[in-house]
Amino acid sequence: MRHSSLGQSLPGTSRRTVVRGLGGAVLLGAGAPLLSACGGSGGTAADPKSVTLGSNASDAVPKKAFAEIYAAFKKRSGIAVDVNTKDHNTFQEQINSYLQGTPDDVFHWFAGYRMQFFAAKGLATPIDDVWKTIGGNFPEAMQKLSKGEDGKYYFVPLYTYPWAVFYRKSVFQQYGYEVPTTWSDFIALCKRMRKDKLVPIAFGDKDAWPALGTFDQINFRTNGYDFHVELMAGRASWTDAKTRAAFDNWAEILPYHQEGAVGRTWQDAAQTLVAKKAGMYLLGSFVGQQFTNKDDLDDLDFFAFPEIDPAYGQDTVEAPTDGFMLSKAPKNKAAAVELLEFLGTPEAEQIYLKADPNVVAASTKADTSSYTPLQKKAYEMISGAKSLTQYMDRDSRPDFTSTVMQPALQKFIRDPKGVDSLLSSIERQKKTIFASS
């Protein structure tokens, strides 16, 4: 569910070493733990009653939710799912070498560009046969998100979730705050929170991906959905006046962000919201995983990132979608296909949602009657959006977002005044990377 970019450096590796692997093999430092399949080297025959699955769901809540899905699948089919769970960031960092080696039969991944990237490299198997079975369970937008550039299906979506500004109802009530819908109201609220001795905006960018989501919100509120798409695709320029305007807007609210963000994880930042030390937090709805006390979770609410330009309003919602893919040469394809068909059912989604109430079903057939107020609101936000984005490191080339944008945005957070030279540097590197495809 969480975001992390593909080429983030590991101990003992340089960014350049990791990203070279996007077109070839990833070279890993001596100390790096290698991501490999459950089945090891691939020399043994597949167990017909077992399917292997590579998972990045290392956080406690999703890990438990997935385990319950796999248990239900075994009960129904007699096929055991041998799960290979790796730390979320490690999985992302080593995904390319993993898929080029001897990966598990099925692996957990993301919709959109991130899926298409590996499908185009021949590192995933088309699953049109699976979609003949599950297609009726999903709306057109989800079907579109699940296709590669060749028009074939490569992905089974399970859940989606919005990015929004999260806050505690009791804090807003205590201080008499109102939900801001415009940029000026948002800034005024940040100033009031600071006066009330609160951190206006909790922020943790140690893993380098949360800032990507912050930029996305500000960019498509400033410049609209179409410009977001053009910028992510490498067609619009990072030195364009529109891009600079987005960074100027960010610089305006940066002083209200939690200090020392580059050294803080998203989980630690979330704890300041839990503890009522921070007033707001821009993140995905998975932030609810950090609210382990039910009363605290019931107190959690969110609002759409405020309007900056009335021409675009609040009509774009960032709603990443997670699900599953079939690796290039699964040892037990028949069992893997059966598992993917099950994962595409409302039953599987409902099992997941029962254990993780921080997301909403990708399928329109799933029963939403048990949704919490937060889930209902998330569903309404996503279904009512004019445009949906998938998040910067899913909407663009992963080698660009990981090796260029992640360190660039951290540099901006540290020194927003150096934005012009920073944007020139981003544009130069973008041209090199996008030309290499």
Side-chain angles (χ1 to χ4, degrees):
M1 185 190 304
R2 292 184 282 115
H3 297 278
S4 307
S5 262
L6 204 67
Q8 200 175 354
S9 296
L10 293 165
T13 64
S14 69
R15 290 184 180 277
R16 182 172 294 182
T17 305
V18 175
V19 81
R20 266 169 42 200
L22 291 160
V26 173
L27 302 175
L28 293 164
L34 288 168
L35 175 62
S36 58
C38 291
S41 64
T44 55
D47 177 353
K49 283 294 178 186
S50 175
V51 60
T52 61
L53 185 143
S55 175
N56 62 5
S58 57
D59 288 351
V61 172
K63 189 174 182 179
K64 180 175 181 287
F66 282 122
E68 288 173 8
I69 290 180
Y70 307 142
F73 174 68
K74 184 179 180 182
K75 192 174 180 182
R76 177 170 166 161
S77 66
I79 298 168
V81 182
D82 187 4
V83 185
N84 175 25
T85 302
K86 294 294 178 185
D87 168 73
H88 194 87
N89 286 355
T90 303
F91 193 96
Q92 256 73 308
E93 289 156 1
Q94 300 181 9
I95 183 72
N96 194 64
S97 56
Y98 165 70
L99 294 179
Q100 288 185 84
T102 53
D104 297 291
D105 298 333
V106 173
F107 61 99
H108 190 208
W109 201 236
F110 314 120
Y113 197 110
R114 281 296 214 50
M115 171 269 293
Q116 293 175 342
F117 185 88
F118 292 117
K121 296 280 184 194
L123 296 175
T125 300
I127 52 171
D128 289 25
D129 49 345
V130 171
W131 273 88
K132 283 176 186 171
T133 304
I134 68 171
N137 296 335
F138 297 95
E140 190 180 340
M142 283 295 163
Q143 293 182 29
K144 188 178 174 184
L145 277 178
S146 302
K147 288 179 179 177
E149 293 166 347
D150 59 4
K152 294 177 181 177
Y153 287 102
Y154 287 91
F155 186 80
V156 174
L158 189 76
Y159 57 71
T160 184
Y161 56 94
W163 270 61
V165 183
F166 288 81
Y167 68 97
R168 296 197 58 157
K169 289 178 279 191
S170 60
V171 169
F172 270 49
Q173 200 171 2
Q174 180 185 344
Y175 293 102
Y177 301 148
E178 289 185 13
V179 167
T181 56
T182 66
W183 188 241
S184 58
D185 288 346
F186 185 58
I187 291 168
L189 179 57
C190 286
K191 287 176 179 174
R192 277 191 64 188
M193 286 181 172
R194 175 180 275 175
K195 197 180 279 185
D196 292 332
K197 304 286 190 266
L198 292 171
V199 172
I201 305 169
F203 194 34
D205 198 51
K206 187 175 183 178
D207 293 320
W209 53 262
L212 304 180
T214 301
F215 175 77
D216 281 349
Q217 298 284 340
I218 296 169
N219 182 40
F220 56 60
R221 289 288 185 263
T222 305
N223 300 308
Y225 171 78
D226 291 340
F227 187 78
H228 164 85
V229 171
E230 292 294 298
L231 192 64
M232 294 303 104
R235 293 187 290 268
S237 173
W238 286 86
T239 55
D240 190 299
K242 289 183 174 182
T243 315
R244 174 62 198 262
F247 277 92
D248 286 346
N249 285 331
W250 193 358
E252 190 175 359
I253 61 166
L254 201 54
Y256 304 109
H257 283 65
Q258 197 169 7
E259 290 181 8
V262 174
R264 182 183 302 107
T265 65
W266 74 267
Q267 293 97 330
D268 286 341
Q271 288 305 316
T272 60
L273 192 68
V274 174
K276 299 186 178 184
K277 291 177 181 174
M280 299 177 284
Y281 192 13
L282 172 61
L283 206 72
S285 62
F286 54 85
V287 69
Q289 292 175 15
Q290 293 296 307
F291 286 70
T292 52
N293 178 292
K294 189 182 182 298
D295 289 340
D296 288 339
L297 186 59
D298 289 344
D299 192 38
L300 186 65
D301 203 349
F302 65 87
F303 57 87
F305 195 82
E307 171 190 291
I308 295 177
D309 186 331
Y312 309 115
Q314 293 172 294
D315 63 10
T316 298
V317 172
E318 191 120 87
T321 304
D322 291 13
F324 298 86
M325 296 176 71
L326 186 62
S327 61
K328 60 179 179 177
K331 289 185 198 171
N332 193 348
K333 188 178 180 183
V337 163
E338 202 171 332
L339 173 61
L340 288 168
E341 287 175 351
F342 178 71
L343 290 166
T345 63
E347 181 189 344
E349 291 192 322
Q350 281 153 215
I351 292 168
Y352 185 90
L353 291 167
K354 197 174 178 184
D356 184 1
N358 304 292
V359 296
V360 295
S363 167
T364 46
K365 297 283 179 74
D367 179 12
T368 61
S369 62
S370 62
Y371 275 7
T372 64
L374 219 57
Q375 283 174 302
K376 285 174 183 167
K377 193 170 180 177
Y379 181 80
E380 285 163 15
M381 179 185 268
I382 292 167
S383 60
K386 183 180 174 184
S387 303
L388 294 176
T389 59
Q390 280 295 291
Y391 196 76
M392 186 192 290
D393 72 352
R394 302 181 184 202
D395 276 344
S396 188
R397 283 182 60 125
D399 48 355
F400 171 66
T401 58
S402 61
T403 60
V404 179
M405 290 312 302
Q406 287 192 335
L409 294 187
Q410 286 192 332
K411 193 172 181 181
F412 172 76
I413 292 162
R414 290 190 185 104
D415 176 25
K417 289 178 182 172
V419 67
D420 285 323
S421 61
L422 185 67
L423 292 176
S424 296
S425 172
I426 292 171
E427 181 63 16
R428 278 196 308 273
Q429 294 177 80
K430 178 210 80 177
K431 284 177 178 173
T432 302
I433 288 173
F434 278 82
S436 70
S437 60

